[in-house]
Each structure stands twice: as C-alpha cells, then as structure tokens.
Amino acid sequence: MSEYNQFLDSWNSVLGLNTPSHHHRMTDFLTDVLNNENHRGLLMAFRHSGKSTIVGIFATCVLFMRPQTRILILSAQTHQAARMVMHIRNILENHPWCQDMIPKNRREWAENKITINRPIGIREPSVICQGIYGNITGMRADLIICDDVEVPNTCNTARKRAALRERLRELDFVLSPNGAMIYIGTPHTLDTIYRTV
C-alpha cells in the first residue's frame, strides 16, 4: 500500500471510518498522475463519490511528503475553492502525521491560503485558492487542482466554453516545469472541456 493510501487510512481512522475501496483506487490514480511523465489527470466519478474529499486528503499528503510544494486550487467560484483549502487546513490540524507542519505564527492560515512549516525562501503560500477568473498573474504552482471549473455558469454557451478553455490554457504559465495538474469534475455539456484536458 502506498504512503498516500496509508495517509488516507490514518485520516479515516481519526474520523472513525473505514476507507471504501474506490477511494483507494482514486488515490492510486492521483499518485500515478503526480508521478507519471505527463503529470495531467482527470478524475471523474459518480456524484457524491468523495472526489473532492479524496483530492483534499491527497493534497495534504503531498504537503506532508514534499513540504516545499505550492498548490493552487481553482473552482468556478472562489468560495468553492476556499472549501477545499478549509478541508486541507482541517486535515493538517487534526491528522496525527501533520502535527509538526503547523507553524507557530499562523500569519497565512486563513480560509483562502495556508502556509505550513517548510524550507525558507518560497514566496507563494503552500496552498492558495482562486475562482477560475480570479487574478493568478505572477503565481507559480507545483500542483494545480481544478475542482469543478465546469459548471452551468461557466459552460452554458459556446462563448463561455471558449473563454473557459482559454483561461485553462493560461495555467501552463503558472505551473512549474515538472508540476502536475489534476481536474476533478462532472461534464455539464456535450461539448465538455473534459474531452480535451
């Protein structure tokens, strides 16, 4: 069993839960995305399957294993992305493996960004979130998580879908050279962006 799945099982133990087998498969897939040469992946599963929950746990484990990682979370709206940051923050504060990661000075420990104990000299927060059309100019990230960027408000016309695709192309300028990009979502149109990510 991978360290990522051990981290997941340990977190579920804190919650008094068993880990469903499909959550282990999701974690294996995310680990492959992080480690394969392309570093791109799309996680699609049935509604209420725990996709975002698993990705949040996975992102926290990435920080545990690679504390220098910079993670950018994008959603259709900033408040959606902030929910993922709060999920990660909750895991950091309560997972037994993460006790040494929480800084004494919690200057960047908010609902939209957090910074863990890590090597000095890294400008960006450990985790930061933004709505898909928010300002990401000048940001750099080693892991970008696009969590439900395709929703009715961003894809219900051809013009909106074209604008969304253009925006997503800009992420290549934010992602570090060996960085990974993970999409999580459900198609909302026949001309879904998920056909080409």
Side-chain angles (χ1 to χ4, degrees):
M1 179 181 290
S2 74
E3 194 161 9
Y4 293 97
N5 270 317
Q6 291 174 29
F7 187 94
L8 168 63
D9 288 347
S10 179
W11 175 242
N12 279 336
S13 178
V14 168
L15 300 177
L17 302 172
N18 293 318
T19 306
S21 59
H22 72 277
H23 285 183
H24 280 148
R25 289 194 300 273
M26 287 181 186
T27 302
D28 289 339
F29 169 77
L30 295 169
T31 304
D32 287 344
V33 171
L34 195 64
N35 295 328
N36 72 23
E37 192 173 316
N38 184 31
H39 300 301
R40 300 288 191 279
L42 166 62
L43 179 60
M44 291 175 55
F46 54 91
R47 290 187 186 279
H48 307 295
S49 63
K51 298 182 294 293
S52 295
T53 298
I54 292 302
V55 170
I57 297 167
F58 177 78
T60 312
C61 188
V62 169
L63 291 173
F64 171 75
M65 296 178 67
R66 307 174 186 185
Q68 72 281 7
T69 303
R70 301 161 297 178
I71 301 174
L72 171 62
I73 299 168
L74 296 172
S75 293
Q77 301 291 330
T78 303
H79 69 88
Q80 292 173 279
R83 284 173 44 199
M84 177 73 79
V85 176
M86 289 186 287
H87 174 46
I88 292 169
R89 189 179 70 185
N90 181 50
I91 298 166
L92 286 167
E93 290 173 343
N94 294 288
H95 196 297
W97 295 13
C98 300
Q99 294 175 356
D100 296 334
M101 298 170 66
I102 300 172
K104 289 179 181 170
N105 176 359
R106 297 191 187 188
R107 191 176 48 202
E108 289 190 346
W109 202 260
E111 68 177 24
N112 64 338
K113 63 181 174 181
I114 53 178
T115 298
I116 62 167
N117 286 330
R118 60 182 182 178
I120 61 170
I122 303 172
R123 188 179 66 179
E124 291 84 5
S126 300
V127 184
I128 192 165
C129 71
Q130 193 61 266
I132 189 63
Y133 292 112
N135 184 8
I136 58 172
T137 303
M139 286 187 185
R140 298 293 287 164
D142 307 300
L143 173 60
I144 298 177
I145 298 170
C146 296
D147 184 14
D148 282 329
V149 292
E150 179 179 296
V151 296
N153 284 347
T154 62
C155 73
N156 60 3
T157 68
R159 179 177 287 179
K160 287 182 180 180
R161 291 191 294 276
L164 181 57
R165 287 187 173 96
E166 182 61 31
R167 180 60 165 174
L168 293 172
R169 280 193 284 275
E170 294 174 15
L171 297 181
D172 287 328
F173 300 103
V174 173
L175 194 64
S176 61
N178 292 312
M181 197 176 312
I182 297 168
Y183 287 83
I184 321 160
T186 304
H188 285 268
T189 175
L190 287 175
D191 184 26
T192 176
I193 63 160
Y194 298 130
R195 291 182 183 208
T196 54
V197 297

